[in-house]
Amino acid sequence: MSDRTNNHGRANGAGDQVYDMVIIGAGFGGVRMLHEARQLGLTAKVLEAGSDVGGTWYWNRYPGARTDSEAWAYCFFFDKQLMESYDWPERMPSWDQVLDYMSYVVDRFDMRKDIQFDTRVKSAIYDEGANRWQITTMAGETFECIHFVSAAGLLHIAYEPPFKGLETFKGEWYMTSRWPKEEVEFRRKRVGIVGSGSTAVQILPIVAQLADHVSMFQRTPNYVTPGRNHPIGKEQMRAIKDNYPAIVEQCQRQVFGFPMEPANRLFSNVTPEEAHRVFERGWEAGGFRFLFETFDDLLVNQEANDAAAEFIRNKIRAIVKDPTTAELLCPNYSFAVKRPPTGNFFYEAFNRDNVSLLDIKNDPITEITPNGIKTEGREFEFDIIIFALGFDAVTGALTHMDVRGRDGMTIKDKWDAGPRTHLGISVDGFPNMYIISGPQAPFANIPIIIENSVSWIGEAIKTTMDGGYDMCEAEPEAVQKWADHMQAMLDLTLLTEGYDVNAWYLGANIPGKKPAVLFYFGGAGAYFDELRDNIAQNFEGFAFKRQGSHAQPRSIAVG
């Protein structure tokens, strides 16, 4: 572009560092976007709050943290040699294995020189007159760019403990979303875990192996399916690599972006005996295969869903020895209207003498005391409290920053009644701003979503530059149409029940946050089709404009 002077940006007279693109976040989204920017011939800088790459896996390093996507699909697909050269050690990688992989990628492509670590962004403000974004860090450093990309991720802003008295607690307390790098000593300790979602499901069995006693405070139980994690032998890894083209194709088509085939089976077409056998096979397969490889109508057919839910409840009753505890662990809502965690020996942990389940649905926590946790009816003493409370998901990464578009409109005010985007990537009134894994993109296997979203962003920026434009902006009518599309897709499923159980994918888990449709629920494959169709239709719903006199078709070679 016309103001680029070298491969590493430049400083202008005001002291700003000037780049074609500034990217927030060095997780999967930021790293993939940096690669795309280089392919386009752009100068780019990634700003990362952590001291290394990894995104959510950098921060969520609690014991037991691992993916519930299979390793061979939880990776980058943009480079064949990269897929061929890396060997994953386990089916469901642990947090440190994901960090090892991310480090391998950024070092292989010499990306660290374009990433600035230990840098938290305070504001991103659009200067309409100059058609530039001004990015300011907490340290007061400033950056200027044309294209601003948020790759801060879905699960970035943690839900802080809302309980009074926390400052009086005499023991240690931790948030799973900001776990320390130093090892936490659990031996001879009484540990309380507040929360019962995916994080608690992972951390409880690990802590229970060392602590004197562990108590999990549960408000709403979850349907936990077995992870069936295992090491990947060299023969299996070789077979995976040989089959990568087919694996990528599966991820592109499958409803959740996983390397799976549809069941091609409806619940109403089988006998009860066959349905039970199908559920058994799905349970033993582990991970999300119970949801996606049993029956294709689990999320739209209440009868099918009820059968799946009762199957899992019976598994809980069979695994957990104490009948009272087992019933407390049995959800009474439809399967998958809250994100179903995958676990490794979660239910089995409640058979240990040193594990207790504390039901706080009707006896809520009222405060943290110097010695532990107090509910309305009881008080419990702990040496360590772990808060696994989840996140202000999807929108929080941007609404907690000072992000302003045209006329000083903040993204927080723009989304006050719920997020509105076009294609889950762009927002009207915020020119040249792109969001990776943003609101109203699919809720699915994140890396394949990122691959397709970044490819669309790359095409949009290429169209901007090649056409002699300097601005790409979503049109308000298209944004509203996309929002209506989101609601219509949700209404076709059983997932609307998520509002009643405080599902985070509807924003219902954060007090004061207006619940809204935060994701595209039409399936990853259908979303990818929508992105490709939008490009084929010359970016329908987006306006390409010339604002500055410098805007002209580029003639430089890219790639």
Short mmCIF file of all heavy atoms in Angstrom, two decimals, residues 195-223:
data_model
loop_
_atom_site.label_atom_id
_atom_site.label_comp_id
_atom_site.label_asym_id
_atom_site.label_seq_id
_atom_site.Cartn_x
_atom_site.Cartn_y
_atom_site.Cartn_z
N GLY A 195 -18.28 -23.67 40.62
CA GLY A 195 -18.60 -23.83 39.21
C GLY A 195 -18.68 -25.30 38.85
O GLY A 195 -18.06 -26.15 39.51
N SER A 196 -19.46 -25.61 37.80
CA SER A 196 -19.63 -27.01 37.42
C SER A 196 -19.65 -27.17 35.90
O SER A 196 -20.18 -28.16 35.39
CB SER A 196 -20.93 -27.57 38.01
OG SER A 196 -22.05 -26.80 37.60
N GLY A 197 -19.09 -26.20 35.16
CA GLY A 197 -19.04 -26.28 33.71
C GLY A 197 -17.83 -27.06 33.23
O GLY A 197 -17.23 -27.84 33.97
N SER A 198 -17.45 -26.80 31.98
CA SER A 198 -16.37 -27.58 31.35
C SER A 198 -15.07 -27.52 32.14
O SER A 198 -14.36 -28.52 32.27
CB SER A 198 -16.14 -27.06 29.93
OG SER A 198 -17.26 -27.27 29.12
N THR A 199 -14.76 -26.35 32.67
CA THR A 199 -13.50 -26.20 33.40
C THR A 199 -13.50 -27.03 34.67
O THR A 199 -12.53 -27.74 34.98
CB THR A 199 -13.25 -24.72 33.72
OG1 THR A 199 -13.16 -23.99 32.50
CG2 THR A 199 -11.98 -24.54 34.52
N ALA A 200 -14.58 -26.93 35.44
CA ALA A 200 -14.67 -27.71 36.67
C ALA A 200 -14.64 -29.20 36.38
O ALA A 200 -14.05 -29.98 37.14
CB ALA A 200 -15.95 -27.34 37.42
N VAL A 201 -15.27 -29.61 35.28
CA VAL A 201 -15.28 -31.02 34.88
C VAL A 201 -13.86 -31.51 34.64
O VAL A 201 -13.52 -32.66 34.96
CB VAL A 201 -16.16 -31.20 33.63
CG1 VAL A 201 -15.91 -32.55 32.97
CG2 VAL A 201 -17.63 -31.04 33.98
N GLN A 202 -13.00 -30.66 34.11
CA GLN A 202 -11.63 -31.07 33.83
C GLN A 202 -10.75 -31.03 35.07
O GLN A 202 -9.91 -31.92 35.27
CB GLN A 202 -11.04 -30.16 32.75
CG GLN A 202 -11.66 -30.36 31.37
CD GLN A 202 -10.98 -29.52 30.29
OE1 GLN A 202 -10.46 -28.44 30.56
NE2 GLN A 202 -10.99 -30.02 29.07
N ILE A 203 -10.92 -30.03 35.90
CA ILE A 203 -9.97 -29.83 37.01
C ILE A 203 -10.28 -30.71 38.22
O ILE A 203 -9.37 -31.14 38.93
CB ILE A 203 -9.92 -28.34 37.41
CG1 ILE A 203 -8.65 -28.05 38.22
CG2 ILE A 203 -11.16 -27.91 38.18
CD1 ILE A 203 -8.42 -26.57 38.50
N LEU A 204 -11.56 -31.04 38.45
CA LEU A 204 -11.93 -31.79 39.65
C LEU A 204 -11.20 -33.13 39.78
O LEU A 204 -10.60 -33.40 40.83
CB LEU A 204 -13.45 -31.98 39.69
CG LEU A 204 -13.97 -32.93 40.77
CD1 LEU A 204 -13.80 -32.31 42.15
CD2 LEU A 204 -15.43 -33.29 40.54
N PRO A 205 -11.22 -33.99 38.76
CA PRO A 205 -10.56 -35.30 38.95
C PRO A 205 -9.06 -35.19 39.19
O PRO A 205 -8.49 -36.06 39.87
CB PRO A 205 -10.85 -36.03 37.62
CG PRO A 205 -12.01 -35.33 37.03
CD PRO A 205 -11.86 -33.90 37.43
N ILE A 206 -8.43 -34.16 38.65
CA ILE A 206 -6.98 -33.99 38.83
C ILE A 206 -6.68 -33.55 40.26
O ILE A 206 -5.81 -34.13 40.93
CB ILE A 206 -6.43 -32.97 37.83
CG1 ILE A 206 -6.80 -33.36 36.39
CG2 ILE A 206 -4.92 -32.83 38.00
CD1 ILE A 206 -6.27 -34.71 35.96
N VAL A 207 -7.37 -32.53 40.74
CA VAL A 207 -7.13 -32.02 42.09
C VAL A 207 -7.46 -33.09 43.13
O VAL A 207 -6.78 -33.22 44.16
CB VAL A 207 -7.95 -30.74 42.33
CG1 VAL A 207 -7.82 -30.28 43.78
CG2 VAL A 207 -7.51 -29.64 41.39
N ALA A 208 -8.49 -33.88 42.86
CA ALA A 208 -8.91 -34.90 43.82
C ALA A 208 -7.84 -35.94 44.08
O ALA A 208 -7.83 -36.59 45.14
CB ALA A 208 -10.18 -35.58 43.31
N GLN A 209 -6.91 -36.12 43.15
CA GLN A 209 -5.85 -37.11 43.34
C GLN A 209 -4.85 -36.68 44.41
O GLN A 209 -4.13 -37.53 44.95
CB GLN A 209 -5.14 -37.35 42.01
CG GLN A 209 -6.01 -37.97 40.94
CD GLN A 209 -5.27 -38.17 39.63
OE1 GLN A 209 -4.13 -38.65 39.63
NE2 GLN A 209 -5.88 -37.81 38.53
N LEU A 210 -4.80 -35.38 44.72
CA LEU A 210 -3.78 -34.87 45.64
C LEU A 210 -4.37 -34.27 46.92
O LEU A 210 -3.77 -34.39 48.00
CB LEU A 210 -2.93 -33.80 44.94
CG LEU A 210 -2.08 -34.28 43.76
CD1 LEU A 210 -1.43 -33.09 43.07
CD2 LEU A 210 -1.02 -35.26 44.23
N ALA A 211 -5.49 -33.60 46.82
CA ALA A 211 -6.03 -32.84 47.95
C ALA A 211 -6.58 -33.77 49.04
O ALA A 211 -6.98 -34.91 48.77
CB ALA A 211 -7.13 -31.90 47.48
N ASP A 212 -6.60 -33.25 50.26
CA ASP A 212 -7.26 -33.98 51.34
C ASP A 212 -8.74 -34.13 51.04
O ASP A 212 -9.33 -35.19 51.27
CB ASP A 212 -7.06 -33.25 52.67
CG ASP A 212 -5.77 -33.67 53.36
OD1 ASP A 212 -5.04 -34.52 52.79
OD2 ASP A 212 -5.49 -33.14 54.45
N HIS A 213 -9.34 -33.03 50.58
CA HIS A 213 -10.76 -33.08 50.24
C HIS A 213 -11.07 -32.01 49.20
O HIS A 213 -10.50 -30.92 49.24
CB HIS A 213 -11.64 -32.86 51.47
CG HIS A 213 -13.06 -33.32 51.26
ND1 HIS A 213 -13.47 -34.60 51.55
CD2 HIS A 213 -14.16 -32.70 50.75
CE1 HIS A 213 -14.74 -34.74 51.25
NE2 HIS A 213 -15.18 -33.60 50.76
N VAL A 214 -11.99 -32.33 48.28
CA VAL A 214 -12.42 -31.39 47.26
C VAL A 214 -13.95 -31.32 47.29
O VAL A 214 -14.62 -32.35 47.27
CB VAL A 214 -11.97 -31.81 45.84
CG1 VAL A 214 -12.40 -30.76 44.82
CG2 VAL A 214 -10.47 -32.02 45.79
N SER A 215 -14.47 -30.10 47.32
CA SER A 215 -15.91 -29.88 47.29
C SER A 215 -16.24 -29.04 46.06
O SER A 215 -15.65 -27.97 45.86
CB SER A 215 -16.39 -29.13 48.54
OG SER A 215 -16.09 -29.87 49.71
N MET A 216 -17.16 -29.54 45.22
CA MET A 216 -17.57 -28.80 44.04
C MET A 216 -18.95 -28.18 44.27
O MET A 216 -19.91 -28.89 44.57
CB MET A 216 -17.63 -29.69 42.80
CG MET A 216 -17.80 -28.89 41.50
SD MET A 216 -17.90 -29.93 40.02
CE MET A 216 -19.63 -30.38 40.06
N PHE A 217 -19.03 -26.85 44.13
CA PHE A 217 -20.29 -26.13 44.29
C PHE A 217 -21.00 -26.08 42.94
O PHE A 217 -20.50 -25.46 41.99
CB PHE A 217 -20.02 -24.71 44.80
CG PHE A 217 -19.53 -24.66 46.22
CD1 PHE A 217 -18.20 -24.93 46.53
CD2 PHE A 217 -20.39 -24.34 47.26
CE1 PHE A 217 -17.74 -24.88 47.84
CE2 PHE A 217 -19.94 -24.29 48.57
CZ PHE A 217 -18.61 -24.56 48.86
N GLN A 218 -22.16 -26.72 42.86
CA GLN A 218 -22.88 -26.83 41.61
C GLN A 218 -24.24 -26.15 41.69
O GLN A 218 -25.03 -26.44 42.57
CB GLN A 218 -23.09 -28.31 41.26
CG GLN A 218 -24.00 -28.56 40.06
CD GLN A 218 -24.37 -30.02 39.90
OE1 GLN A 218 -23.61 -30.77 39.31
NE2 GLN A 218 -25.52 -30.42 40.43
N ARG A 219 -24.47 -25.25 40.72
CA ARG A 219 -25.81 -24.65 40.59
C ARG A 219 -26.64 -25.41 39.56
O ARG A 219 -27.79 -25.74 39.79
CB ARG A 219 -25.71 -23.18 40.20
CG ARG A 219 -27.06 -22.47 40.11
CD ARG A 219 -26.89 -21.01 39.79
NE ARG A 219 -26.26 -20.82 38.48
CZ ARG A 219 -25.96 -19.63 37.97
NH1 ARG A 219 -26.22 -18.53 38.67
NH2 ARG A 219 -25.39 -19.54 36.79
N THR A 220 -26.02 -25.68 38.40
CA THR A 220 -26.72 -26.40 37.32
C THR A 220 -25.83 -27.53 36.84
O THR A 220 -24.69 -27.30 36.42
CB THR A 220 -27.02 -25.45 36.15
OG1 THR A 220 -27.74 -24.31 36.62
CG2 THR A 220 -27.87 -26.17 35.10
N PRO A 221 -26.31 -28.79 36.87
CA PRO A 221 -25.50 -29.90 36.38
C PRO A 221 -25.39 -29.88 34.86
O PRO A 221 -26.18 -29.23 34.17
CB PRO A 221 -26.27 -31.13 36.86
CG PRO A 221 -27.69 -30.68 36.96
CD PRO A 221 -27.63 -29.22 37.37
N ASN A 222 -24.41 -30.60 34.35
CA ASN A 222 -24.17 -30.68 32.91
C ASN A 222 -24.18 -32.12 32.44
O ASN A 222 -23.92 -33.05 33.21
CB ASN A 222 -22.81 -30.06 32.56
CG ASN A 222 -22.84 -28.55 32.58
OD1 ASN A 222 -23.27 -27.93 31.62
ND2 ASN A 222 -22.40 -27.95 33.67
N TYR A 223 -24.46 -32.29 31.15
CA TYR A 223 -24.33 -33.61 30.53
C TYR A 223 -22.87 -33.78 30.12
O TYR A 223 -22.41 -33.17 29.15
CB TYR A 223 -25.22 -33.70 29.29
CG TYR A 223 -26.70 -33.68 29.55
CD1 TYR A 223 -27.43 -32.50 29.44
CD2 TYR A 223 -27.39 -34.85 29.88
CE1 TYR A 223 -28.80 -32.47 29.64
CE2 TYR A 223 -28.76 -34.84 30.09
CZ TYR A 223 -29.47 -33.65 29.97
OH TYR A 223 -30.82 -33.64 30.18
#
